């Protein structure tokens, strides 16, 4: 494995737990604590001193009441000391002096504030009042020990100076011996008590610091672990590139930016040619090294284009880049081919005249927003990749809807669809639809399935567009309607079946008549059928379509609007056609985890309900979502929580058996 891939994989290494008490000694912890304490004292110095000065000056009222004869002197001293202390502190803060000097200023303010009040007060004529009034001196001692967050040393020095001054004044005060002994003892007790509390507070602050430090480190460790797990969940462990999950998220972001802001982008699929033969020849370890080299080289290339690259599975990579011009996309696709070729990794089992590893590249880019869906650009890139492989590999192809070679008619699916019905390659499965109020399965939706001659299933997203473009959808559609009638409706296995109908079928002359013929031959009444029409660009306001829908409704067939909210024609069709049911696309339900998504779903429901249509919500997968649908008054629901698509036999076997609230596939 290369050094670069190894360094990427390092993101997945667990973060080791970190205990500060084990890693740091007592001395280092004390240094950290003092540094944090200094920062806190510096922050608290200004508000602390301002509050202290305000309280100190407000005590002028007690001077006026208790020692009125010397109140003018004490009040003057209060204002002088307070103003001097504040001016000194503000000047120090402006000059950025050390925090220790701020402590000295605050401590000096306490001492001088005490002296500035005490000596003028002691000169009062009423000695008894003065003697009792001196008790307030203990407030300054408590300020030094408890109000300001001085270090223990500064607090002790400050409170000791105040205690000494108290004793000196107490000694010379003309008072009884009893008074001096009682108040002297009180001063010592106050000094001892506040000093002890100050010492305990400092110890507690240190313990709080240790706990906070440990919590901070644990939080950082948890955050790092979370980031590492997130990187792990979004990173391919072999190549270090983004994995499919991460690329799919980025693809949605690119798509959203294009839809909202018009920022076009390209999607490019890259497939390493004959990679299975490479693994068979050189072994899986060499195969892994090959993929790593290719990933590193492409990553360096894509960085210059400010794009994203990820591993899409196996030997396939995907590139997303913001660009909307054909020449830019073609240039990047060709550069990718040449970059892989330049690596010159030996590949001797190709037998196509090339002896090195190469890549086939298929590219597509955003062209028009109207009717577009997210999956379409990937599908187009995949079709372009198919053409690149069909053209001999080691080349790049850009999807071009006007190029006959890019159309689905050139693919094997077109030929397969021609023989699908005769060879039994096409079948139907049925997904239950539940009535929300009764909890019973009241209908099923018929879904078409196609398999290749070797039994491999072909996704509907691939063969349905091919069938529509080639016209095979007409025969397949008639077959589907007839099969639904014979498999489930003729013998009353289910009350109602919905069938997806293409706009191409609705445009075809005689479609309604062919449906009437099928109903007559199978003995099924039209009100047992519902046709689902998907909104989109293909559903233009065509008079033939409107006439056909009107004829179908005369037969009793219900007309449903499918995937409402995902296209651009839905509002117009709601206005023109009286749909029996409107199916709200699953994406709106799955976005209900956010307030914005919940509001969007409620708005759509209100819009449809105001038009008087019944509402069916797709994609219900949890009990919580069922409860939400009941709360919103939805008529019907469909999704894996109600039941998965199953063959007709599953419903035929239930004939005569009481229906259950939930139908599940075996």
């Amino acid at each position: 494995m290369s050094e670069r891939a190894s360094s990427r994989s390092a993101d997945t290494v667990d973060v080791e737990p970190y205990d500060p008490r084990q890693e740091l000694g007592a001395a280092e912890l004390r240094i950290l604590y003092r540094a944090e304490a200094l920062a806190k004292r510096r922050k608290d110095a200004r508000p602390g001193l301002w509050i202290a000065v305000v309280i100190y000056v407000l005590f002028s009222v007690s001077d006026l009441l208790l020692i009125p004869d010397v109140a003018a002197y004490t009040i003057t001293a209060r204002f002088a000391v307070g103003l001097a202390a504040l001016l000194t502190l503000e000047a120090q803060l402006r000059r950025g002096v050390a925090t220790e000097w701020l402590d000295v200023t605050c401590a000096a303010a306490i001492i001088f504030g005490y002296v500035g009040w005490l000596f003028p007060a002691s000169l009062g004529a009423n000695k008894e009042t003065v003697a009792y009034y001196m008790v307030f001196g203990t407030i300054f001692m408590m300020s030094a020990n408890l109000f300001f967050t001085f270090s223990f040393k500064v607090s002790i020095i400050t409170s000791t100076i105040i205690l000494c001054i108290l004793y000196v004044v107490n000694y010379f005060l003309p008072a009884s011996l009893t008074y001096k002994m009682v108040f002297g003892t009180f001063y010592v007790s106050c000094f001892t008590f506040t000093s002890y509390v100050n010492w305990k507070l400092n110890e507690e602050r240190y313990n709080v610091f240790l706990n906070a430090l440990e919590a901070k480190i644990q939080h950082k460790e948890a955050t790092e672990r979370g980031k590492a797990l997130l990187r792990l969940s979004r990173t391919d462990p072999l190549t270090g590139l983004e994995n499919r999950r991460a690329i799919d998220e980025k693809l949605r972001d690119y798509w959203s930016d294009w839809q909202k802001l018009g920022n076009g982008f390209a999607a490019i699929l890259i497939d390493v040619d004959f990679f299975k033969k490479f693994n068979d020849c050189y072994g899986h370890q060499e195969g892994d090294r090959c993929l790593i080299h290719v990933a590193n080289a492409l990553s360096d290339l894509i960085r210059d284009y400010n794009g994203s690259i990820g591993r899409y599975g196996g030997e396939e990579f995907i590139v997303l880049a913001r660009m909307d011009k054909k020449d830019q996309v073609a240039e990047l696709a060709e550069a990718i081919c040449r970059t892989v070729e330049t690596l010159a990794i030996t590949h001797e089992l190709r037998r196509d005249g090339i002896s090195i590893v190469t890549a086939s590249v298929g590219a597509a880019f955003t062209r028009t927003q109207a009717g577009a869906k997210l999956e379409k650009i990937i599908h187009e890139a995949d079709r372009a990749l198919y053409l690149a492989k069909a053209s001999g590999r080691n080349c790049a192809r850009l999807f071009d809807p006007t190029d006959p070679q890019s159309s689905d008619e050139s693919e094997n699916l077109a030929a397969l669809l021609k023989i699908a019905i005769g060879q039994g390659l096409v079948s139907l499965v049925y997904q239950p639809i539940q009535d929300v109020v009764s909890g019973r399965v009241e209908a099923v939706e018929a879904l078409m399935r196609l398999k290749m001659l070797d039994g491999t299933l072909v996704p509907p997203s691939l063969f349905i567009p091919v069938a529509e473009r080639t016209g095979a959808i007409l025969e397949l559609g008639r077959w589907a309607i007839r099969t639904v009638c014979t498999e489930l409706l003729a013998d009353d296995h289910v009350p109602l079946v919905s069938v997806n109908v293409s706009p191409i079928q609705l445009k075809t002359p005689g479609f309604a008549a062919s449906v009437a013929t099928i109903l007559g031959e199978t003995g099924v009444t039209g009100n047992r059928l519902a046709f689902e029409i998907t909104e989109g660009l293909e559903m233009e306001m065509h008079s033939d379509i409107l006439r056909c829908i009107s004829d179908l409704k005369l037969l009793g067939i219900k007309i449903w609007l499918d995937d409402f909210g995902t296209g651009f024609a839905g509002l117009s069709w709601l206005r023109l056609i009286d749909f029996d049911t409107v199916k709200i696309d699953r994406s709106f339900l799955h976005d209900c985890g956010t307030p914005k998504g919940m509001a969007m779903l409620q708005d759509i429901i209100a819009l449809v309900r105001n038009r008087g249509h019944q509402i069916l919500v797709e994609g219900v997968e949890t009990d919580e979502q069922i409860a939400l649908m009941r709360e919103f008054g939805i008529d019907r629901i469909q999704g894996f929580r109600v039941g998965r698509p199953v063959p007709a036999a599953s419903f035929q076997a239930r004939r005569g058996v009481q229906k259950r609230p939930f139908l599940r596939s075996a």
Side-chain angles (χ1 to χ4, degrees):
M1 185 179 292
S2 69
E3 293 181 1
R4 190 165 7 167
S6 298
S7 66
R8 287 170 179 157
S9 299
D11 286 341
T12 65
V13 177
D14 289 339
V15 180
E16 291 296 330
Y18 177 68
D19 187 348
R21 306 187 194 208
Q22 295 178 357
E23 297 293 331
L24 296 176
E28 288 92 344
L29 288 173
R30 285 289 178 182
I31 291 172
L32 287 175
Y33 170 68
R34 280 194 288 271
E36 184 174 290
L38 281 174
K40 187 177 187 306
R41 292 209 303 274
R42 187 175 194 86
K43 179 181 177 182
D44 295 342
R46 175 182 280 143
L49 186 59
W50 273 89
I51 293 172
V53 168
V54 170
I55 296 173
Y56 177 62
V57 171
L58 288 176
F59 263 92
S60 299
V61 177
S62 62
D63 293 345
L64 292 171
L65 295 175
L66 299 175
I67 50 174
D69 54 333
V70 292
Y73 302 107
T74 57
I75 292 173
T76 301
R78 288 180 188 275
F79 276 93
V81 172
L83 183 61
L86 291 176
L87 290 175
T88 302
L89 181 70
E90 292 297 331
Q92 289 176 322
L93 289 173
R94 184 177 295 273
R95 293 175 56 190
V97 301
T99 304
E100 289 83 354
W101 286 106
L102 301 182
D103 291 344
V104 170
T105 297
C106 294
I110 295 173
I111 295 171
F112 283 105
Y114 175 57
V115 173
W117 162 78
L118 181 61
F119 282 102
S122 65
L123 300 177
N126 190 339
K127 299 302 181 182
E128 183 178 359
T129 301
V130 171
Y132 285 105
Y133 194 35
M134 283 179 57
V135 175
F136 284 104
T138 56
I139 294 176
F140 295 89
M141 189 183 301
M142 288 188 287
S143 297
N145 280 328
L146 304 179
F147 183 77
F148 288 94
T149 56
F150 295 141
S151 64
F152 184 68
K153 179 179 178 181
V154 173
S155 299
I156 288 297
I157 292 174
T158 305
S159 57
T160 300
I161 293 173
I162 294 173
L163 178 65
C164 293
I165 295 173
L166 269 170
Y167 264 96
V168 170
V169 175
N170 191 41
Y171 177 78
F172 289 103
L173 193 69
S176 65
L177 180 61
T178 301
Y179 170 88
K180 293 182 178 182
M181 290 179 62
V182 170
F183 281 96
T185 304
F186 173 72
Y187 298 150
V188 172
S189 300
C190 185
F191 169 80
T192 304
F193 174 75
T194 57
S195 297
Y196 173 77
V197 172
N198 179 270
W199 174 69
K200 294 297 290 182
L201 282 175
N202 275 282
E203 287 299 310
E204 186 62 27
R205 290 188 191 107
Y206 180 65
N207 290 330
V208 169
F209 160 76
L210 289 178
N211 292 333
L213 179 63
E214 186 173 0
K216 187 185 299 183
I217 293 172
Q218 289 177 348
H219 176 71
K220 182 179 180 181
E221 176 187 337
T223 301
E224 292 299 325
R225 284 181 180 274
K227 290 180 179 178
L229 288 173
L230 180 61
R231 287 193 294 269
L232 177 63
S233 69
R234 297 169 56 86
T235 303
D236 175 56
L238 175 64
T239 63
L241 299 178
E242 292 180 311
N243 60 16
R244 184 159 189 161
R245 172 186 176 184
I247 282 293
D248 284 343
E249 290 178 3
K250 192 158 291 185
L251 178 61
R252 286 192 290 270
D253 292 339
Y254 275 50
W255 184 268
S256 177
D257 288 346
W258 177 53
Q259 293 287 310
K260 295 176 181 178
L261 306 175
N263 297 330
F265 68 95
I268 304 175
L269 293 177
I270 307 148
D271 190 86
V272 179
D273 295 328
F274 302 107
F275 186 72
K276 185 178 184 302
K277 291 182 178 293
F278 186 94
N279 268 338
D280 293 341
C281 178
Y282 302 104
H284 289 284
Q285 287 187 341
E286 284 300 320
D288 289 347
R289 291 190 183 95
C290 172
L291 292 178
I292 291 170
H293 286 308
V294 170
N296 290 340
L298 294 180
S299 182
D300 291 338
L301 171 68
I302 301 307
R303 192 178 298 115
D304 295 335
Y305 289 85
N306 195 27
S308 302
I309 180 171
R311 189 180 178 195
Y312 220 46
E315 67 272 21
E316 190 171 69
F317 300 90
I318 183 172
V319 168
L320 301 175
R322 298 192 185 280
M323 50 181 63
D324 52 12
K325 293 183 179 179
K326 182 177 180 180
D327 294 342
Q328 292 176 319
V329 181
E331 176 189 346
L332 177 55
E334 289 292 341
I336 290 171
C337 274
R338 302 291 77 79
T339 298
V340 177
E341 189 177 20
T342 303
L343 292 174
I345 301 173
T346 303
H347 190 348
E348 297 176 346
L349 284 187
R350 290 184 55 142
R351 301 186 182 184
D352 62 348
I354 302 176
S355 58
I356 59 174
V357 170
T358 60
S360 299
V361 179
F365 64 98
T366 50
R367 299 184 306 279
T368 174
Q369 293 173 306
K373 290 189 177 182
L374 175 62
E375 298 80 5
K376 187 175 182 181
I377 190 170
I378 299 299
H379 178 56
E380 290 176 349
D382 192 53
R383 288 167 60 189
L385 177 61
Y386 177 88
L387 289 176
K389 293 180 179 179
S391 301
R393 305 180 190 259
N394 189 27
C395 63
R397 289 291 181 268
L398 180 62
F399 176 80
D400 183 357
T402 64
D403 184 355
Q405 289 188 342
S406 295
S407 68
D408 290 314
E409 294 179 354
S410 63
E411 300 182 18
N412 292 334
L413 280 177
L416 185 69
L417 289 171
K418 292 180 180 180
I419 62 171
I421 296 176
Q423 296 289 330
L425 301 178
V426 65
S427 61
L428 292 179
V429 292
Y430 301 88
Q431 186 171 22
I433 297 172
Q434 183 188 72
D435 183 89
V436 174
V437 175
S438 67
R440 297 181 181 277
V441 174
E442 301 292 351
V444 296
E445 179 184 5
L447 302 170
M448 192 174 292
R449 295 292 184 260
L450 175 70
K451 62 182 179 181
M452 303 184 75
L453 293 172
D454 61 358
T456 304
L457 289 176
V458 182
S461 59
L462 290 182
F463 74 82
I464 294 296
V466 176
E468 290 181 333
R469 289 188 178 91
T470 60
I473 193 68
L474 299 176
E475 185 180 359
L476 288 172
R478 287 191 293 268
W479 171 87
I481 296 170
R482 184 179 296 276
T483 302
V484 163
C485 291
T486 56
E487 283 188 342
L488 293 183
L489 295 179
D491 294 326
D492 296 329
H493 294 296
V494 295
L496 178 70
V497 179
S498 70
V499 181
N500 290 278
V501 174
S502 167
I504 295 176
Q505 294 170 266
L506 298 175
K507 290 181 189 177
T508 303
F511 175 71
S514 66
V515 173
T517 300
I518 294 173
L519 293 176
E521 291 175 352
T522 57
V524 175
T525 58
N527 61 358
R528 306 279 304 284
L529 268 179
F531 286 171
E532 296 190 21
I533 304 171
T534 302
E535 60 164 316
L537 186 63
E538 298 85 358
M539 287 289 292
E540 72 248 39
M541 304 303 172
H542 199 289
S543 59
D544 290 340
I545 291 180
L546 297 176
R547 191 179 302 111
C548 180
I549 290 175
S550 177
D551 292 340
L552 292 172
K553 291 181 75 68
L554 288 175
L555 293 173
I557 295 173
K558 297 175 174 58
I559 305 298
W560 293 4
L561 180 60
D562 192 18
D563 294 334
F564 179 71
T566 59
F568 295 87
L571 294 178
S572 299
W573 281 99
L574 281 180
R575 179 173 56 86
L576 289 173
I577 301 173
D578 184 20
F579 290 100
D580 298 281
T581 296
V582 174
K583 297 181 70 173
I584 297 177
D585 185 74
R586 70 184 65 239
S587 60
F588 295 99
L589 176 60
H590 293 175
D591 286 342
C592 276
T594 65
K596 184 176 179 181
M598 181 72 74
M600 176 68 76
L601 177 60
Q602 290 176 308
D603 289 343
I604 292 177
I605 291 172
L607 172 65
V608 176
R609 184 168 288 135
N610 289 338
R611 294 292 301 171
H613 308 294
Q614 286 199 331
I615 301 174
L616 189 157
V617 176
E618 300 176 295
V620 175
E621 297 176 356
T622 65
D623 290 336
E624 291 77 11
Q625 290 174 341
I626 292 179
L628 185 65
M629 294 300 95
R630 290 197 184 101
E631 179 183 343
F632 287 171
I634 301 302
D635 301 293
R636 294 171 175 173
I637 55 176
Q638 183 178 4
F640 289 165
R641 183 61 185 86
V642 177
R644 295 176 180 270
V646 293
S650 298
F651 293 92
Q652 294 167 350
R654 289 176 171 81
R655 186 182 180 187
V657 179
Q658 183 179 3
K659 296 179 183 178
R660 297 178 174 86
F662 301 107
L663 183 62
R664 306 222 180 242
S665 61

